[in-house]
Amino acid sequence: MIILGFWLGGLYARLNAGRSFAQSIGRMVDDSYRFRSIFKRHDAVMMLLDAKSGEILDANDSAQRFYGYDHATLTAMRISEINTQVDSTLKQSLSQARQREKNCFIFEHRLKNGESRQVEVHSSPITVGNARLLFSVIHDVSERLEVERKLMLNAKIFEQSSEGVLITDAQGAIVAVNGGFSAITGYQEEDVVGAMPSILNSGRHDAHFFAEMWQQIHQEGHWKGEIWNRRKDGIVYPQLLSISVVKDDAGDVVNYIGVFSDITQLKDSEKN
């Protein structure tokens, strides 16, 4: 951090061109050159900002590639021209970073081509002379946040669905069920986790039925059909069941997912 402070003197010179300050920085030219080389060539997007105004004082090569602007253009901009936050909110964020109240932020940054990206910014305040600067490391987390959003959505669908959902591991042991499963079968999650789905077996289907079902699952990756299962209270009822295979990137099975609904009323109406 000491080396960084001396290297930043070159930036502070833009704010204070005093000869004595420049001479003191010159004594550390070898160390500052080495640090600047690391900053310039580092794969991470890095920028130095004026902590109050948000003026971009320096940006490394990765920042230029990421944002699409050359060095001269970037260092003539303020962070508000990239950050899509309203001015009042952005000023608050700069203040939080400057006061060390918060050093990690999620922002939306706009690139030169008009595309917006979600970024995670780690900003630390640095004092050089009388200037207060922010050293910021920026990571593009757009894909990660999209995955997290989809996972949250899927989790809500999983839990709120009126259909029963059962997930097993590759060996067939139950690892999770949803509220719909409990409402239909009468089993709570703690009753079935670690057990095999055969706990629901009604005894109405022979070995040939299950052999054909699993043959299709292994060959085609899914199966759908009607099946009779047994609730916790012992009542046998008809289900419309769909089973799908989940595989990893190597093609190995990691989970089986069963989704089912109680079709008792449908069967009763067919009889009538």
Side-chain angles (χ1 to χ4, degrees):
M1 187 59 70
I2 294 174
I3 295 175
L4 175 60
F6 280 108
W7 167 63
L8 290 173
L11 299 169
Y12 177 63
R14 293 174 56 183
L15 305 174
N16 180 354
R19 180 176 299 174
S20 61
F21 183 80
Q23 290 174 342
S24 67
I25 296 304
R27 289 194 293 269
M28 296 299 295
V29 65
D30 290 339
D31 284 340
S32 66
Y33 177 80
R34 283 193 293 271
F35 192 92
R36 179 163 179 77
S37 295
I38 294 172
F39 173 87
K40 177 178 173 59
R41 296 180 174 84
H42 203 285
D43 290 339
V45 175
M46 296 180 178
M47 293 198 298
L48 284 152
L49 313 176
D50 180 276
K52 287 188 176 180
S53 69
E55 178 186 357
I56 300 173
L57 302 177
D58 204 354
N60 70 351
D61 293 348
S62 294
Q64 295 167 53
R65 288 191 296 269
F66 178 66
Y67 291 106
Y69 296 102
D70 60 29
H71 186 267
T73 303
L74 269 176
T75 53
M77 298 171 69
R78 294 177 184 270
I79 195 63
S80 58
E81 298 175 67
I82 291 173
N83 194 309
T84 63
Q85 282 190 314
V86 297
D87 285 345
S88 58
T89 306
L90 181 56
K91 286 180 181 178
Q92 181 182 13
S93 297
L94 289 171
S95 175
Q96 288 175 321
R98 187 172 64 247
Q99 301 299 325
R100 298 183 185 273
E101 296 173 358
K102 186 177 179 181
N103 67 356
C104 182
F105 306 84
I106 298 293
F107 294 134
E108 182 179 320
H109 279 189
R110 187 180 298 109
L111 312 186
K112 182 181 180 181
N113 64 10
E115 181 183 358
S116 292
R117 305 293 290 176
Q118 298 293 318
V119 296
E120 184 176 79
V121 180
H122 296 264
S123 289
S124 298
I126 300 168
T127 301
V128 180
N130 294 322
R132 191 73 161 166
L133 308 180
L134 290 177
F135 178 72
S136 296
V137 181
I138 299 125
H139 302 286
D140 184 354
V141 294
S142 303
E143 283 75 21
R144 190 194 81 192
L145 293 181
E146 179 62 16
V147 168
E148 291 176 357
R149 185 191 69 80
K150 289 181 178 179
L151 287 174
M152 289 180 64
L153 178 60
N154 289 339
K156 288 183 179 180
I157 294 172
F158 173 79
E159 188 52 43
Q160 296 177 10
S161 174
S162 60
E163 293 183 305
V165 181
L166 176 152
I167 303 174
T168 78
D169 60 20
Q171 289 70 47
I174 298 172
V175 296
V177 298
N178 73 338
F181 174 94
S182 298
I184 294 172
T185 68
Y187 287 101
Q188 299 302 310
E189 187 172 42
E190 57 268 24
D191 297 329
V192 297
V193 168
M196 305 299 285
S198 57
I199 192 174
L200 306 173
N201 198 328
S202 67
R204 287 201 179 189
H205 303 285
D206 58 19
H208 179 70
F209 173 87
F210 289 108
E212 286 191 337
M213 181 182 76
W214 282 105
Q215 182 179 11
Q216 182 176 334
I217 292 171
H218 293 317
Q219 290 179 350
E220 301 180 18
H222 59 86
W223 178 89
K224 185 175 183 178
E226 295 182 6
I227 189 171
W228 290 83
N229 271 332
R230 188 183 305 275
R231 304 185 206 275
K232 186 177 182 180
D233 61 11
I235 295 176
V236 174
Y237 68 103
Q239 286 182 357
L240 180 61
L241 171 64
S242 174
I243 300 175
S244 301
V245 179
V246 179
K247 296 182 179 180
D248 60 19
D249 293 339
D252 297 323
V253 174
V254 290
N255 296 105
Y256 295 99
I257 300 177
V259 180
F260 62 89
S261 56
D262 183 345
I263 57 173
T264 300
Q265 292 184 349
L266 177 62
K267 288 295 186 181
D268 289 344
S269 64
E270 289 177 351
K271 291 178 183 178
N272 299 328

